[in-house]
Amino acid sequence: MNFEYFTAKRIIDSKTYKSSVSAPIIKIGIAAIAIGMVVMMIAIATGIGLQQKIRDKVVAFNGHILISNFGNNNSQESDGSISLNQDFYPQFNSVEGVNHIQGVATKFGVIRTEIDFEAVIVKGVGPDFKWDYFQEFLIEGELPKYTQAYSEDVLVSQYIANRLNLKLGDTIQTYFLSEDYKNTRIVPYKIKGVYNSGFQDLDKTYIISNIRHIQRLNKWEPDQVGHFEVFVNDYNELQNIQNAVYENTPSKMNTVTVEQKYESVFEWINIFDKNIYGIIGIMILVAGINMITALLVLILERTQMIGILKALGSSNLSIRKIFLYNASYLIVLGLFWGNIIGLGILLAQKYFKLFPLNPDVYYVSEAPVYLSIGYIVALNIGTFVMCMIMLLLPSYIITKISPVKAMRFE
């Protein structure tokens, strides 16, 4: 029989323990653990969820890696043409980790109605375009299907549709400047679908059309595109894959990651990591301090018992184990309720969208939730271990208690 565990269990199960002076302080300690756990879970789930959601939205419009010509054009319009006849297209087999590559082109245009106009970037795509992300963004109509033939179908954002009072099936007149910037070309497009990514900076910028129109406007051949977009399997390996892609493309071509293109956006979302670490540190510290207080009160309340155990021959280490077992029970109890409440809140947000966000600030319309058994288990183990380590020092006070004085203690 484990003497320390048996004694700690008897103390926990005793009715006097639950109605003693230390009971309110113990409840506060348990509540601190539970609240800390809830806050940490929400911080990690929403922080990582927001990072992934924003990242996926930017990737949907740009891919993970962009391959383009070297040039002085810093705008979002295609800088010259690239032939599709490349060793890395249509399959980038020379680089491990690449799952898709597509040729696209972009061109500035102006949508004009009878009473208003809007400047946009028309993104021309072909049969190889990866529609997976836009399938999730689609809110009305259907996704266009582009083949080798010309198609006037376009996908516009809900922002542009509301801004210009457009609806599904409408024909929009889009004006383009010629390459010499002297003449204007008009292309009539028909709205096939309406999307809403929630990333307003991108929604108000892009409409998706057939690349054939841009090739004709730029006087390109059917096998010429503006740049290539590369998608990878593992985002964590993005930089390594980008280096490999660069080494396996012609010297006249440049490769940049989506993080480099949207540096300010990714710098902003990387700040979430620091916030998460800060919240975890503060919550564990607060919970640990509360547990230290509860442990000291328990020791004070059980001073006579400590004296009797010492008189009967128990070692300081054995008595310390009794109180650490007791404290570990309180920590586990706090973690249990923290997990129940935390998971309840996160699941409610995941499926019922209880907490909306301003998309102008956060690029999403509601707080996204990322749930993984891995970080939940790691958070519970980490919190338990850190709290127990913090309790080792205050439990040392037991070694300073004299058996004679302790048995006289009132």
Side-chain angles (χ1 to χ4, degrees):
M1 178 185 293
N2 188 320
F3 167 72
E4 294 84 3
Y5 175 77
F6 174 79
T7 306
K9 192 174 184 302
R10 289 295 300 269
I11 294 174
I12 292 169
D13 293 338
S14 66
K15 294 182 179 180
T16 55
Y17 171 74
K18 297 177 182 178
S19 59
S20 63
V21 177
S22 62
I25 298 175
I26 290 172
K27 291 177 181 177
I28 292 173
I30 295 173
I33 295 285
I35 293 172
M37 192 65 189
V38 170
V39 172
M40 288 187 290
M41 288 179 66
I42 292 175
I44 294 175
T46 56
I48 296 177
L50 199 58
Q51 285 179 318
Q52 291 185 347
K53 203 72 173 179
I54 295 173
R55 183 186 72 197
D56 289 345
K57 291 180 179 183
V58 179
V59 167
F61 290 89
N62 300 272
H64 291 101
I65 301 170
L66 290 83
I67 304 174
S68 61
N69 286 322
F70 280 103
N72 296 321
N73 186 0
N74 293 321
S75 70
Q76 297 189 57
E77 189 173 39
S78 295
D79 188 12
S81 63
I82 303 175
S83 174
L84 288 175
N85 300 315
Q86 306 290 338
D87 294 337
F88 55 78
Y89 182 85
Q91 299 292 332
F92 213 134
N93 297 322
S94 58
V95 176
E96 186 178 354
V98 173
N99 64 40
H100 183 71
I101 182 170
Q102 59 196 26
V104 301
T106 53
K107 190 172 183 65
F108 284 115
V110 176
I111 300 175
R112 185 177 178 85
T113 65
E114 293 181 358
I115 59 174
D116 211 342
F117 65 92
E118 185 76 15
V120 296
I121 293 177
V122 179
K123 180 171 182 175
V125 304
D128 60 352
F129 188 68
K130 186 181 180 71
W131 289 104
D132 298 14
Y133 292 103
F134 283 92
Q135 185 67 57
E136 179 185 347
F137 301 156
L138 188 68
I139 60 173
E140 191 178 1
E142 59 186 56
L143 297 174
K145 295 180 181 179
Y146 299 136
T147 60
Q148 299 298 326
Y150 285 95
S151 171
E152 295 180 350
D153 294 338
V154 293
L155 187 67
V156 303
S157 69
Q158 187 179 39
Y159 174 91
I160 293 175
N162 293 339
R163 171 80 172 76
L164 299 177
N165 196 25
L166 301 172
K167 62 182 183 299
L168 198 67
D170 283 354
T171 298
I172 55 176
Q173 302 295 327
T174 309
Y175 293 73
F176 298 92
L177 283 175
S178 62
E179 288 186 317
D180 57 9
Y181 298 101
K182 293 180 180 180
N183 300 314
T184 301
R185 302 281 298 273
I186 303 175
V187 178
Y189 287 126
K190 183 178 179 181
I191 299 177
K192 185 74 170 179
V194 179
Y195 74 89
N196 181 14
S197 72
F199 199 130
Q200 190 164 297
D201 286 355
L202 296 174
D203 285 0
K204 68 183 180 183
T205 302
Y206 286 98
I207 70 171
I208 311 299
S209 80
N210 193 333
I211 195 173
R212 294 300 177 196
H213 292 285
I214 296 180
Q215 289 170 337
R216 183 177 60 180
L217 290 167
N218 290 342
K219 299 179 180 178
W220 293 349
E221 298 297 327
D223 64 347
Q224 291 180 311
V225 296
H227 62 273
F228 292 96
E229 295 176 346
V230 178
F231 293 83
V232 304
N233 293 318
D234 186 358
Y235 187 85
N236 294 324
E237 295 294 324
L238 179 60
Q239 192 57 55
N240 293 331
I241 296 175
Q242 189 263 340
N243 293 334
V245 168
Y246 181 78
E247 292 174 358
N248 286 272
T249 52
S251 58
K252 64 180 181 179
M253 294 183 186
N254 187 30
T255 62
V256 296
T257 65
V258 67
E259 291 184 357
Q260 293 169 329
K261 183 175 180 180
Y262 292 90
E263 189 175 358
S264 59
V265 173
F266 283 90
E267 282 182 355
W268 176 65
I269 64 176
N270 286 337
I271 295 175
F272 297 165
D273 290 333
K274 297 179 181 178
N275 294 339
I276 292 171
Y277 295 144
I279 290 172
I280 291 175
I282 292 172
M283 289 298 102
I284 291 179
L285 182 63
V286 170
I289 291 173
N290 277 274
M291 287 308 304
I292 288 172
T293 303
L295 180 63
L296 292 175
V297 171
L298 283 173
I299 292 173
L300 182 65
E301 191 178 50
R302 297 282 174 172
T303 302
Q304 285 186 333
M305 185 194 78
I306 294 171
I308 293 172
L309 289 174
K310 283 192 174 186
L312 293 173
S314 294
S315 65
N316 287 322
L317 179 60
S318 177
I319 300 172
R320 288 176 70 184
K321 284 183 179 179
I322 293 173
F323 286 93
L324 289 176
Y325 273 127
N326 202 332
S328 66
Y329 166 77
L330 302 179
I331 295 172
V332 170
L333 192 60
L335 291 175
F336 171 78
W337 286 111
N339 280 273
I340 295 295
I341 298 170
L343 286 173
I345 294 173
L346 292 175
L347 289 172
Q349 173 61 20
K350 184 178 180 68
Y351 294 106
F352 300 107
K353 316 296 183 185
L354 301 179
F355 303 102
L357 294 177
N358 185 353
D360 293 338
V361 178
Y362 296 99
Y363 306 118
V364 291
S365 55
E366 70 273 334
V369 172
Y370 169 76
L371 290 174
S372 169
I373 189 66
Y375 83 75
I376 293 175
V377 171
L379 190 60
N380 278 271
I381 294 175
T383 302
F384 180 83
V385 171
M386 291 302 298
C387 286
M388 290 301 295
I389 291 174
M390 293 173 69
L391 292 177
L392 290 176
L393 186 60
S395 68
Y396 185 73
I397 195 174
I398 292 172
T399 63
K400 303 298 181 182
I401 296 176
S402 169
V404 176
K405 294 182 179 179
M407 287 187 288
R408 294 178 182 176
F409 182 79
E410 294 293 338

